[in-house]
Amino acid sequence: MGREFLEDLAEHAGTAVAGSADVRLLGEGAKTVVDVVPTDDASCRFSVFLQDDDEMTIEFGEMSVLDFHGESPDELREACREVVDAIIDGRVTETVYVRDGVPVRALARIEVPEQTITVRTRRGLKPFARKARVRQYQPYVGTEK
């Protein structure tokens, strides 16, 4: 799978965001990362990197992390592309729970074709927090498909 997939993904993202984000391909070899930072902070930033031949991670929003693993390389690529397209199209809601001003966990929902993916992320072993910020991310400006 490797760098070629990430190069293609960076090109796809760059075309889809139509100049409304800084799309960078960072690192080399197994340490390659696609990093997308929108110019408008109403849109959701994200990074994609490979963990292994059969595992990929997407970090997005304020603190959410989605891991894909155990699928065939083609299924992994397709699932990743669907999530990236959903993020670019603004089909992501993230609720970040805060304790003492520090984000401690997040609950995100990503609407992909035919389903909604729910992502739960924790940071550390902080006690449960009730105070939360909810963000419905907006589509990237100038998004074209």
Side-chain angles (χ1 to χ4, degrees), residues 33-137:
V33 176
V34 175
D35 189 45
V36 180
V37 180
T39 55
D40 179 356
D41 63 356
S43 300
C44 185
R45 69 122 198 115
F46 65 95
S47 298
V48 180
F49 52 95
L50 301 175
Q51 298 282 2
D52 206 339
D53 288 339
D54 65 347
E55 186 175 356
M56 183 179 309
T57 297
I58 301 176
E59 293 181 353
F60 63 97
E62 188 173 340
M63 70 173 281
S64 293
V65 179
L66 174 60
D67 289 312
F68 297 98
H69 54 84
E71 302 179 56
S72 75
D74 288 340
E75 290 172 328
L76 202 59
R77 284 190 211 72
E78 183 179 336
C80 177
R81 188 99 165 231
E82 283 182 347
V83 169
V84 165
D85 287 344
I87 292 170
I88 290 169
D89 291 344
R91 293 182 276 130
V92 177
T93 302
E94 183 182 42
T95 303
V96 176
Y97 294 88
V98 179
R99 183 162 184 97
D100 300 326
V102 177
V104 293
R105 66 187 178 98
L107 174 68
R109 289 191 169 77
I110 305 166
E111 296 174 26
V112 296
E114 301 180 26
Q115 70 172 329
T116 298
I117 298 171
T118 300
V119 179
R120 291 174 174 83
T121 306
R122 288 185 154 255
R123 189 174 286 156
L125 299 173
K126 301 271 185 188
F128 182 79
R130 294 188 190 276
K131 184 177 179 184
R133 303 185 282 261
V134 179
R135 288 192 67 183
Q136 169 63 56
Y137 289 100

